[in-house]
Amino acid sequence: MARIIAGVGSSHVPAIGAALDNGKTEEPYWKRVFSGFERSQAWMRETKPDLAIIVYNDHASAFSVEMIPTFALGCAAEFPPADEGWGPRPVPVVQGHPALASHIAQSVILDEFDLTICNKMEVDHGMTVPMNLLFGKVDRNSHWPCPVIPLAVNVVMYPPPTGHRCFMLGRAIKKAVESFPDDLRVVIFGTGGLSHQISGPRAGLINSKWDKSFLDNLSKDPQRLVKIPHIDYMREAGAEGVEMVMWLIMRGALDDKVDEVYRFYTVPASNTAVGHIILENRRRSATSAARKPSAGKRKPAAGKHKRAAARTKVERKRS
Ligand SMILES: [Fe+2]
């Protein structure tokens, strides 16, 4: 049986891709950003997922304003990088997984989520930048380490889907993956955000307090995030901050209880707050902790301390 073992949240700032492609990663401004993902790349190398589902938004690359699907699932065998105005990024063509993608489409659509099925689609920085941040730089003539199923979400033209709808779609994707017979270990990405506004009088808006609270509640109280209306994202996190609803698809696809194993936050990159989190389902955590001596080097999540303290308390009472 296939299963989702972990979720990754990551901003997908286009300037990060440009910095990588133009050899600027060692410049102090960009080193601050890229160094925050070094541990994430080590985690990804250690985790070695068989497949990634990447939730992102298209930025008028595959879809123009003439046609905007709310949810579009990539069912093709491959997804070439899009030309976003200065030529396609120098990254490999993304290999898909048509069998699982078609299975997800069938399961999710019969669960009453009306996805658009894309049998041909180019992918832009919204997807390839988080792939670089987690998989590292990959030569365009080489291969990404695993196949990817893209899920494009409309957050560029009103109305985007609600946070609740996104979370429930994540739940439906989890169910779909778990009913796929092949033994696949899947990581799901939610991308976009965090707070940013790219135009108008509030251009450059960053709200770190809001961002950190959002990151906290991904593990602590996701149901609180699910209830946030669009207007709150717009007011507090900027017009483009509404991209954060895509992280709720990732969160909905995980178990109720998760462990936060890594977080990184820095401002700014371009004019955007960069946020990143790795959440593991607990059965995966237990397995990985037992398997890997290096896991002990990680800073344990606060929840683990609390659980360990609670266990000690109970043991003391019994003795
Ligand atoms: Fe975006």
Side-chain angles (χ1 to χ4, degrees):
M1 173 185 105
R3 65 192 173 97
I4 295 175
I5 55 170
V8 171
S10 172
S11 301
H12 60 216
V13 185
I16 294 176
L20 185 71
D21 299 343
N22 294 303
K24 295 182 177 176
T25 55
E26 291 302 310
E27 291 182 5
Y29 182 89
W30 289 110
K31 196 172 175 56
R32 172 179 50 87
V33 175
F34 286 100
S35 62
F37 287 84
E38 286 168 3
R39 283 183 62 189
S40 322
Q41 290 179 17
W43 175 88
M44 191 59 92
R45 284 193 298 273
E46 201 176 71
T47 301
K48 285 192 183 63
D50 299 306
L51 181 133
I53 297 170
I54 302 188
V55 183
Y56 75 108
N57 69 287
D58 179 77
H59 302 76
S61 303
F63 312 114
S64 70
V65 289
E66 293 169 359
M67 198 189 312
I68 306 178
T70 300
F71 298 116
L73 188 71
C75 295
E78 57 180 36
F79 305 94
D83 182 347
E84 299 181 61
W86 46 88
R89 289 196 60 220
V91 293
V93 169
V94 176
Q95 301 302 310
H97 196 298
L100 178 55
S102 302
H103 175 84
I104 291 173
Q106 175 171 308
S107 176
V108 165
I109 290 170
L110 295 181
D111 260 347
E112 303 180 348
F113 288 89
D114 305 319
L115 303 185
T116 298
I117 294 170
C118 297
N119 292 321
K120 187 176 180 186
M121 182 166 71
E122 294 184 345
V123 291
D124 68 15
H125 73 269
M127 192 168 104
T128 60
V129 164
M131 288 177 73
N132 277 132
L133 289 172
L134 271 293
F135 296 125
K137 187 167 183 172
V138 184
D139 185 85
R140 69 178 357 144
N141 298 315
S142 183
H143 301 282
W144 294 106
C146 67
V148 172
I149 297 175
L151 174 61
V153 179
N154 169 39
V155 288
V156 296
M157 183 171 278
Y158 194 81
T162 62
H164 178 256
R165 185 71 170 159
C166 288
F167 188 86
M168 295 311 290
L169 175 58
R171 280 278 180 264
I173 290 171
K174 174 177 164 33
K175 179 180 161 192
V177 169
E178 290 176 354
S179 62
F180 190 68
D182 292 5
D183 190 16
L184 297 175
R185 295 161 66 255
V186 179
V187 169
I188 184 165
F189 287 48
T191 75
L194 293 178
S195 57
H196 66 300
Q197 173 142 348
I198 57 175
S199 60
R202 298 202 310 161
L205 178 145
I206 285 176
N207 184 344
S208 297
K209 194 175 164 197
W210 163 278
D211 291 338
K212 286 174 184 172
S213 165
F214 188 89
L215 292 170
D216 288 343
N217 282 323
L218 278 172
S219 52
K220 208 165 64 184
D221 191 1
Q223 289 306 324
R224 178 177 289 205
L225 301 181
V226 164
K227 292 180 193 136
I228 298 174
H230 292 139
I231 191 71
D232 285 11
Y233 286 101
M234 307 277 281
R235 186 191 301 114
E236 301 293 332
E240 282 73 33
V242 78
E243 288 183 346
M244 291 154 83
V245 295
M246 294 187 288
W247 291 45
L248 298 179
I249 297 179
M250 173 272 284
R251 183 62 188 90
L254 299 178
D255 293 347
D256 289 341
K257 302 286 184 191
V258 293
D259 289 322
E260 178 182 330
V261 296
Y262 183 60
R263 182 194 296 204
F264 174 63
Y265 182 82
T266 187
V267 291
S270 186
N271 58 358
T272 307
V274 171
H276 168 47
I277 203 163
I278 299 176
L279 303 172
E280 289 183 351
N281 282 337
R282 287 192 173 163
R283 51 188 166 162
R284 136 91 197 177
S285 305
T287 316
S288 62
R291 197 176 64 221
K292 299 171 200 110
S294 61
K297 289 180 189 169
R298 287 184 194 138
K299 199 175 167 187
K304 283 184 181 169
H305 283 311
K306 278 183 195 158
R307 286 195 304 280
R311 275 200 301 273
T312 312
K313 224 175 172 181
V314 171
E315 278 157 17
R316 272 190 199 136
K317 268 190 178 174
R318 279 180 186 154
S319 60

